[in-house]
Amino acid sequence: MTEFIFFINQVVISGAVLGCIYALGAVGITLIFGILRFAHFAHSELMTSGAFFAFLLAALFASWGIVTPIPMGFVVLPLAMVLSAVFALGVDKGFYAPLRQRGAKPVILLIASIGVTLMIQGLIRLFFGAGSYSFFENETKDVFRVDTSFLGSTRPLVITEPQLLMIIVTVISVLALHFFLTRSRLGKAMRAMADNADLAQVSGINTALVVRVTWIVAGALACMAGTMLALDVTLKPDLAFNIIIPIFAAAIVGGLGQAYGAIAGGLLIGFAESLAVFNWTMVLRPLNGVLPEALQLPATLALVPTEYKLTVAFVILVVVLLVRPTGIFKGASS
Amino acid sequence: MIARSLSLFAGLFALILVIGWLMGVPFTSSRLVEATAYALIALGLNIQWGYGGLFNFGIMGFLMLGGFAVTFISYPINPSFWGSDGPWMLGRAALAFGAGALLVYAARQSHRLGLRGGWKTFTIVLAWFVAYCLYRSQIDPAAAYIESTAGFVGGLGINPVFGWLFGGVLAAGVALIVGKIALGLRTDYLAIATIGISEIIRALIKNMDWLTRGTLTVSPIPWPTPLPQEYQASGADQLSSLILARGGYLALALLVLAAAIWLVSRAYAGPWGRMMRAIRDNHVAASSMGKDVKSRQLEIFVLGSVLMGIGGAMLVSFTQIFDPSSYQPINHTFLIWVMIIVGGAGNNWGAVFGAVLIWLVWVISEPLAKTIFETASYWSTSVGWPEIPDIESRSAQMRVFVLGLVITIALRYAPKGLIPEVVRRDS
């Protein structure tokens, strides 16, 4: 039983946390691709800047002497999401809208988004330097240890407070997104436009409004993902730039343009990464007593060495592109 | 058109003179050698994107392969590796790799034994897994042994020019595999697939310590031309030895670049170039005219990657250090894209112009930002405001911002580049 709890700590929890972050990021990418038909590289910088908005707000609140029972990062999240949504709208208005009006090809928009990535990253580094920050400098990161001795385990189940809140918040926002997309007029218009932009336009859907709403939703979700990532590890200028490819992998694996596919893809890649680097010897150790001398388990029996963790996502991506070129849920293409 | 290109190049020359005057000869000569190497790399991307319309975002991977190639070929031989059991163990790992490849091949042919559908897929997946375990069981102890006894495999001690050539060959080989995997995909998917593959290459080169020494870095890598120290030994003073040595390297690099431009321009002016333009502009029409779109695209992808491999090798042998962890997508993939976008995709001179201009902008934006910050700080302190903190590190970050600014401005106001493609209409 100890081994099972260890497996939950090492794979299930860390996979779920990683999967939630990937999923929230990938939903934004997939929505932008579905509506605007280009791969938005600067999404990573929306995530990082969102995390910095939250960090600044948290610092501001703390300087006013406000103390909250849950981590400050979660308290200021709604406000930071609003700021990020406005920021995303501004980026679109300043950089992508002029190109769209000129009728530029999706490829040009993709390159423009790389320019935006570099500019935002440069600005963040200009103001915050290259160092890292922590949300938990003035408050403690609570760690819950659930005693599992009644199951016969000698190890507790370990989860930190941000991780627990993160999973809850992600579930809530995915449900909210689901109801938005299936019940509201705007959500239905978004899905219609993702399916067929021309048809949506001739059937009287206000495409400019749909584009704005897409940026608002994508910016808010990106801020959420970035803040959570910063709460789980540390906040640094290349926070999300390092994981943009796994996030793209999640969006593609799910099928670009498919919101539910992105969530599935994010969780899949998050769990695959945790599973791939998991040391199976820790779980299979009891077998050592049963197995003959020649078949004893080595000290490490991970599928891939830890330093190749991020590579797992790329390998999954390449395999999926080979087997199902438009992803599991059959996505769109530009 | 020609007048415009000439005046742009004249302006670039003037810029180089100004930089030489402001920053000194040693700085400027180094940057010019690097700019030549980047021009070769940009030419490679121009073949892929400007001629072929292929979206390669994995340039960093090919540059790393070139860098590794020149290290492997020209670094002196490591006797403590060749005298140990290392070669034997590596031989066994190679055998395991071959056996695994054979196993996968057999599984792929299993339909001849009557396996169909799900069973065949299962057999292939199983074969891949067994092959992977087999290879890992041999390579892991070999890697641990080499790292603990000899450090790493070392080089072959051959002239670096052969390292450049090997960089091209290695890049071609990998490009063939990457192209076969990814070229069936459309634009955005191709971009993301290539960036993913280049990240895999980076992870491998960075972590295969037994072969590449990983984060421990390899240096000094020999030069193909005489080093400044050699000129000094024969009695030249500091500055002139530096100029002579860098001039020699620059001449060799320019020779390679000129040869590449000549070959590429000749090919592009001929029927091959017309076919490539046809495929780029409308691959469906080209295919219905009987052109083999897929293999032509593979061809152009491999050709472009060869130039990237050679350029990557040139950069590494010039700096004399191979540091796998210094490779960043911003500096080694996006920078080259900016060069092509600003210079003009589809025009070789545009690619060369863009490469030199953007490289100079990239390297001088840091000292420029530092000067601006220092001046601003001087004024702000003189009126009683606090001075700007950490000017050094902040100005180092400014060049990323400037690069982003350049790309967005270029796309907005000169979407075809400063020296755009010349479209000839034969009536």
Side-chain angles (χ1 to χ4, degrees):
Chain A
M1 210 57 215
T2 310
E3 286 77 18
F4 182 65
I5 297 295
F6 184 78
F7 180 78
I8 291 184
N9 282 342
Q10 292 282 311
V11 175
V12 179
I13 292 177
S14 79
V17 166
L18 208 57
C20 285
I21 292 164
Y22 287 172
L24 288 175
V27 168
I29 281 180
T30 236
L31 285 178
I32 294 173
F33 192 93
I35 306 288
L36 300 161
R37 302 277 150 179
F38 78 103
H40 185 232
F41 256 89
H43 209 71
S44 60
E45 296 330 296
L46 287 185
M47 287 171 71
T48 315
S49 55
F52 272 101
F53 285 141
F55 180 75
L56 289 179
L57 285 172
L60 190 70
F61 276 35
S63 72
W64 288 342
I66 300 173
V67 180
T68 49
I70 58 172
M72 192 60 96
F74 282 99
V75 179
V76 297
L77 193 55
L79 214 53
M81 283 163 72
V82 172
L83 282 180
S84 288
V86 173
F87 182 61
L89 278 176
V91 167
D92 180 55
K93 191 129 193 89
F95 298 104
Y96 305 132
L99 294 176
R100 261 204 314 277
Q101 273 153 19
R102 202 179 67 203
K105 279 190 267 181
V107 170
I108 300 298
L109 281 162
L110 197 164
I111 298 170
S113 80
I114 284 169
V116 172
T117 307
L118 299 177
M119 283 175 74
I120 300 177
Q121 203 172 84
L123 282 180
I124 291 176
R125 282 165 191 266
L126 183 67
F127 288 113
F128 296 96
S132 58
Y133 300 83
S134 172
F135 274 93
F136 296 97
E137 262 156 18
N138 301 315
E139 51 184 331
T140 49
K141 198 188 243 183
D142 289 336
V143 180
F144 301 126
R145 289 196 172 76
V146 183
D147 186 29
T148 50
S149 52
F150 63 92
L151 287 169
S153 161
T154 52
R155 252 173 217 279
L157 192 71
V158 184
I159 187 166
T160 66
E161 192 183 5
Q163 287 177 332
L164 189 65
L165 283 170
M166 186 183 295
I167 294 169
I168 295 169
V169 170
T170 308
V171 171
I172 293 172
S173 46
V174 165
L175 283 176
L177 183 74
H178 169 74
F179 285 117
F180 171 70
L181 286 177
T182 50
R183 301 289 159 84
S184 75
R185 266 188 80 79
L186 261 175
K188 285 181 192 164
M190 273 172 77
R191 287 196 303 158
M193 206 171 150
D195 273 349
N196 188 333
D198 296 333
L199 191 63
Q201 197 156 18
V202 293
S203 48
I205 287 173
N206 183 350
T207 46
L209 181 68
V210 171
V211 167
R212 276 206 294 280
V213 172
T214 306
W215 283 108
I216 290 172
V217 173
L221 288 180
C223 170
M224 190 185 269
T227 311
M228 287 178 173
L229 186 59
L231 282 161
D232 192 36
V233 285
T234 55
L235 178 59
K236 48 187 198 243
D238 56 357
L239 176 79
F241 185 69
N242 291 330
I243 60 160
I244 185 67
I245 301 302
I247 289 175
F248 261 109
I252 289 181
V253 166
L256 278 175
Q258 301 281 345
Y260 305 113
I263 294 161
L267 289 172
L268 175 76
I269 287 190
F271 278 109
E273 282 186 7
S274 321
L275 262 180
V277 296
F278 180 66
N279 184 2
W280 287 95
T281 304
M282 299 302 287
V283 171
L284 301 175
R285 202 183 293 142
L287 285 179
N288 265 354
V290 189
L291 287 173
E293 197 75 13
L295 281 174
Q296 290 289 303
L297 295 166
T300 51
L301 194 69
L303 208 51
V304 291
T306 322
E307 59 265 28
Y308 291 109
K309 189 178 177 187
L310 279 178
T311 316
V312 174
F314 311 142
V315 172
I316 294 178
L317 170 71
V318 172
V319 170
V320 167
L321 284 175
L322 281 178
V323 181
R324 279 186 79 98
T326 50
I328 299 170
F329 282 65
K330 189 124 185 43
S333 76
S334 63
Chain B
M1 191 65 233
I2 288 172
R4 179 189 164 137
S5 314
L6 280 179
S7 55
L8 279 170
F9 269 100
L12 188 64
F13 190 67
L15 179 69
I16 291 169
L17 288 183
V18 169
I19 292 172
W21 177 60
L22 282 175
M23 306 296 294
V25 174
F27 178 88
T28 315
S29 57
S30 298
R31 301 297 89 81
L32 281 180
V33 174
E34 286 157 5
T36 313
Y38 274 105
L40 195 66
I41 298 163
L43 202 62
L45 180 63
N46 189 36
I47 295 179
Q48 291 178 342
W49 163 239
Y51 295 179
L54 296 175
F55 220 59
N56 181 8
F57 260 108
I59 302 167
M60 185 182 69
F62 296 110
L63 297 191
M64 285 190 90
L65 286 171
F68 162 70
V70 76
T71 315
F72 182 69
I73 292 288
S74 66
Y75 195 73
I77 290 172
N78 181 2
S80 64
F81 165 73
W82 293 103
S84 70
D85 284 341
W88 282 111
M89 296 177 87
L90 280 186
R92 279 217 304 276
L95 278 181
F97 185 84
L102 215 61
L103 201 64
V104 171
Y105 178 76
R108 289 183 70 96
Q109 299 296 321
S110 63
H111 57 268
R112 295 175 186 221
L113 296 174
L115 282 177
R116 294 259 177 269
W119 283 106
K120 191 186 167 194
T121 316
F122 175 74
T123 317
I124 291 175
V125 171
L126 191 72
W128 271 103
F129 184 73
V130 171
Y132 176 73
C133 290
L134 194 67
Y135 176 65
R136 278 285 302 277
S137 73
Q138 293 303 315
I139 196 71
D140 283 356
Y145 174 79
I146 294 169
E147 277 163 36
S148 63
T149 55
F152 80 124
V153 170
L156 300 177
I158 307 171
N159 191 302
V161 172
F162 290 98
W164 295 2
L165 284 176
F166 185 56
V169 172
L170 200 61
V174 173
L176 199 65
I177 300 169
V178 172
K180 276 208 186 288
I181 293 177
L183 282 186
L185 301 166
R186 261 167 288 175
T187 48
D188 308 76
Y189 288 90
L190 181 59
I192 293 154
T194 46
I195 218 172
I197 291 169
S198 115
E199 289 292 330
I200 294 176
I201 294 175
R202 170 159 72 164
L204 285 174
I205 290 184
K206 202 165 154 184
N207 292 308
M208 285 182 16
D209 284 13
W210 58 275
L211 184 61
T212 63
R213 224 167 177 206
T215 46
L216 290 173
T217 74
V218 184
S219 73
I221 297 161
W223 268 24
T225 51
L227 279 164
Q229 291 90 308
E230 290 164 32
Y231 284 109
Q232 272 168 31
S234 58
D237 68 279
Q238 194 108 34
L239 187 68
S240 59
S241 68
L242 200 71
I243 293 172
L244 274 172
R246 293 220 176 123
Y249 198 108
L250 183 63
L252 188 62
L254 281 174
L255 198 71
V256 175
L257 178 66
I261 292 181
W262 184 69
L263 287 172
V264 165
S265 302
R266 262 188 74 97
Y268 195 50
W272 185 82
R274 278 200 297 280
M275 176 176 67
M276 285 305 168
R277 272 189 303 252
I279 290 175
R280 178 194 64 189
D281 293 338
N282 191 340
H283 67 92
V284 180
S287 153
S288 65
M289 296 297 288
K291 305 296 177 201
D292 186 351
V293 172
K294 236 184 161 166
S295 30
R296 291 289 89 74
Q297 286 188 332
L298 192 62
E299 194 174 287
I300 212 161
F301 189 73
V302 170
L303 275 178
S305 304
V306 167
L307 295 186
M308 292 174 188
I310 297 176
M314 266 186 194
L315 281 177
V316 163
S317 63
F318 178 67
T319 50
Q320 296 198 289
I321 181 165
F322 179 56
D323 178 10
S325 46
S326 73
Y327 284 85
Q328 298 293 330
I330 290 182
N331 307 10
H332 295 94
T333 295
F334 298 161
L335 187 68
I336 291 149
W337 268 94
V338 180
M339 290 168 179
I340 288 289
I341 299 296
V342 171
N347 187 324
N348 293 327
W349 293 110
V352 171
F353 176 81
V356 178
L357 177 72
I358 294 299
W359 180 248
L360 292 179
V361 167
W362 171 254
V363 291
I364 59 166
S365 52
E366 183 183 343
L368 202 65
K370 198 176 156 205
T371 318
I372 293 173
F373 284 153
E374 272 168 354
T375 322
S377 197
Y378 174 76
W379 282 106
S380 66
T381 44
S382 67
V383 293
W385 289 343
E387 60 182 65
I388 301 173
D390 311 324
I391 286 180
E392 289 278 330
S393 70
R394 268 164 222 268
S395 45
Q397 311 300 347
M398 272 314 282
R399 49 188 200 176
V400 176
F401 177 77
V402 171
L403 196 65
L405 197 65
V406 169
I407 196 170
T408 43
I409 290 177
L411 283 177
R412 184 87 174 265
Y413 299 105
K416 292 204 181 304
L418 291 172
I419 306 180
E421 184 188 1
V422 186
V423 183
R424 226 178 260 123
R425 293 258 175 264
D426 302 317
S427 52

